[in-house]
């Protein structure tokens, strides 16, 4: 759109997932909230979707507690989680006990505010990643739980007749969705440091998918080419950065955190790194956003 010869830009915030590595994104969004920076549109995947919802409510406390406290508890990942929820990761505990009961996260407040944000989830009925908005977030937070439900490691989330899993099956960094939504400028926050190489899917994982999801062969096909989709998404981002249409923020140093493993001190360091990396690029970000 143009007005008096001036192109009207649409600024989008694009957030990668990454499980425990979402602590970096939480720190980066805390910086955005501290500086009262908002966007015309936001889209997140997995942990990026959860912290995006909190950011839209200007809530810094919930994501901090989530990434530095709740996810490190002994019954969240592993044997205790399996005994509790019959899955490797206890997502019900995270969303129903920690976010709902302890943090009092309000889906109604999010719906009432109705920010222009979206979350990507893999719809097993359709065999593709689809996007939901703030109005779709249910009071039990099942939709947000579905955004983080990594295949094999967690249960399928059933909501309104849909069978949902983590949208990162195909859209690890949802830059394509932001483009589809008409964004012309992008602030992209990823959880992997420069030089990260996504490897092809493990053959055992692909076999388990065939056994666990016989009614959805497409998820296995999509997961098999996941690394290629990631490469494509990074290429799109790099192209936009070269054209000065995007800023890419990612960890400036490597802190030993994996998707489902990280001690509290390193998670705090990763959170603080996300905040500090944004602060270190403050002038660049302000100039980019026209502040």
């Amino acid at each position: 759109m143009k007005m008096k010869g001036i192109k009207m830009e649409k600024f989008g915030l694009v957030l990668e997932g990454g499980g425990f590595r979402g602590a970096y994104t939480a720190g980066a969004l805390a910086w955005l909230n501290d500086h009262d920076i908002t966007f015309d549109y936001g889209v997140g995947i997995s942990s990026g979707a959860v912290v995006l919802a909190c950011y839209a409510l200007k809530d810094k406390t919930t994501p901090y507690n989530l990434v530095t406290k709740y996810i490190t508890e002994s019954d969240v990942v592993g044997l205790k989680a399996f005994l509790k929820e019959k899955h490797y990761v206890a997502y019900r505990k995270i969303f129903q006990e920690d976010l709902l009961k302890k943090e009092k996260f309000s889906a109604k407040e999010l719906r009432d505010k109705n920010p222009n944000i979206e979350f990507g989830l893999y719809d097993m009925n359709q065999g593709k990643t689809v996007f939901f908005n703030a109005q779709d977030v249910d009071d039990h937070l099942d939709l947000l739980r579905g955004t983080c439900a990594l295949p094999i490691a967690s249960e399928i989330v059933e909501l309104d007749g849909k069978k949902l899993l983590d949208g990162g099956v195909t859209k690890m960094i949802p830059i394509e969705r932001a483009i589809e939504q008409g964004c012309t400028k992008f602030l992209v926050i990823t959880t992997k440091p420069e030089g990260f190489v996504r490897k092809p899917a493990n053959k055992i994982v692909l076999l388990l998918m065939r056994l666990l999801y016989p009614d959805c062969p497409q998820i296995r096909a999509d997961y098999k080419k996941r690394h290629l989709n990631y490469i494509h998404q990074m290429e799109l981002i790099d192209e936009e950065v070269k054209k000065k249409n995007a800023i890419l923020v990612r960890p400036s140093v490597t802190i030993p955190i994996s998707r489902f493993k990280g001690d509290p001190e390193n998670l705090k360091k990763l959170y603080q790194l996300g905040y500090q990396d944004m602060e270190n690029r403050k002038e660049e970000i302000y100039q980019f956003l026209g502040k």
Side-chain angles (χ1 to χ4, degrees):
M1 179 173 67
K2 292 185 177 181
M3 183 179 293
K4 295 183 179 180
I6 300 176
K7 181 180 179 182
M8 302 298 289
E9 306 284 8
K10 182 175 180 179
F11 289 86
L13 176 63
V14 180
L15 306 177
E16 184 183 17
F20 282 26
R21 290 188 292 262
Y24 182 81
T25 309
L29 296 197
W31 185 91
L32 288 175
N33 266 328
D34 279 349
H35 292 79
D36 199 28
I37 295 175
T38 58
F39 293 82
D40 300 311
Y41 169 81
V43 59
I45 295 292
S46 192
S47 59
V50 178
V51 294
L52 176 62
C54 295
Y55 161 75
L57 293 174
K58 297 189 179 300
D59 177 3
K60 296 190 302 178
T61 303
T62 297
Y64 180 80
N65 287 340
L66 176 64
V67 302
T68 64
K69 178 182 177 182
Y70 299 136
I71 63 174
T72 68
E73 293 174 347
S74 62
D75 57 349
V76 169
V77 178
L79 179 60
K80 289 184 179 180
F82 186 82
L83 293 175
K84 186 172 185 177
E85 297 192 16
K86 307 305 180 186
H87 291 89
Y88 182 67
V89 184
Y91 283 113
R92 286 186 178 271
K93 175 195 179 302
I94 293 172
F95 286 88
Q96 296 173 2
E97 296 180 21
D98 298 332
L99 292 186
L100 274 181
K101 295 181 181 179
K102 296 177 183 177
E103 295 298 319
K104 309 299 183 184
F105 183 93
S106 172
K108 182 181 183 301
E109 184 181 352
L110 187 66
R111 294 193 300 267
D112 288 345
K113 188 170 184 179
N114 196 27
N116 189 19
I117 58 176
E118 290 189 315
F119 320 110
L121 293 91
Y122 192 86
D123 186 331
M124 298 186 71
N125 294 335
Q126 299 186 57
K128 65 178 183 179
T129 297
V130 296
F131 291 85
F132 298 83
N133 59 37
Q135 290 296 313
D136 297 314
V137 178
D138 60 288
D139 290 335
H140 299 291
L141 304 188
D142 286 333
L143 184 78
L144 290 181
R145 181 163 60 91
T147 66
C148 297
L150 194 70
I152 300 174
S154 60
E155 70 174 308
I156 298 169
V157 174
E158 298 193 20
L159 182 65
D160 298 330
K162 301 179 179 66
K163 294 182 177 181
L164 304 169
L165 287 172
D166 186 333
V169 171
T170 64
K171 307 292 184 183
M172 286 136 285
I173 313 174
I175 182 68
E176 297 135 310
R177 181 61 176 180
I179 293 171
E180 290 170 2
Q181 292 298 93
C183 293
T184 56
K185 298 286 187 178
F186 314 89
L187 176 63
V188 182
I189 300 175
T190 72
T191 54
K192 315 297 189 303
E194 185 174 5
F196 172 81
V197 177
R198 182 169 290 284
K199 299 177 181 179
N202 185 288
K203 291 182 179 180
I204 295 177
V205 171
L206 294 175
L207 176 61
L208 288 172
M209 283 188 165
R210 176 177 291 178
L211 296 174
L212 293 174
Y213 310 133
D215 296 330
C216 184
Q218 185 60 44
I219 192 172
R220 180 179 179 275
D222 285 333
Y223 211 82
K224 190 173 183 179
K225 59 182 181 181
R226 189 167 179 253
H227 64 296
L228 300 178
N229 286 331
Y230 181 85
I231 291 171
H232 174 65
Q233 287 150 19
M234 282 303 305
E235 288 175 344
L236 286 177
I237 294 165
D238 289 341
E239 183 179 337
E240 294 298 331
V241 169
K242 289 177 182 177
K243 293 189 295 186
K244 301 187 184 305
N245 290 332
I247 288 180
L248 171 60
V249 178
R250 54 189 171 192
S252 56
V253 299
T254 299
I255 295 175
I257 299 289
S258 65
R259 176 176 284 275
F260 295 128
K261 187 176 182 180
D263 67 76
E265 286 307 310
N266 277 348
L267 285 164
K268 288 177 184 178
K269 289 178 182 178
L270 189 58
Y271 178 95
Q272 292 161 357
L273 179 66
Y275 195 100
Q276 190 60 49
D277 281 351
M278 296 290 284
E279 178 65 22
N280 290 344
R281 300 177 69 177
K282 178 177 179 178
E283 296 306 319
E284 178 189 0
I285 293 169
Y286 267 51
Q287 184 177 5
F288 179 76
L289 297 175
K291 297 290 184 180

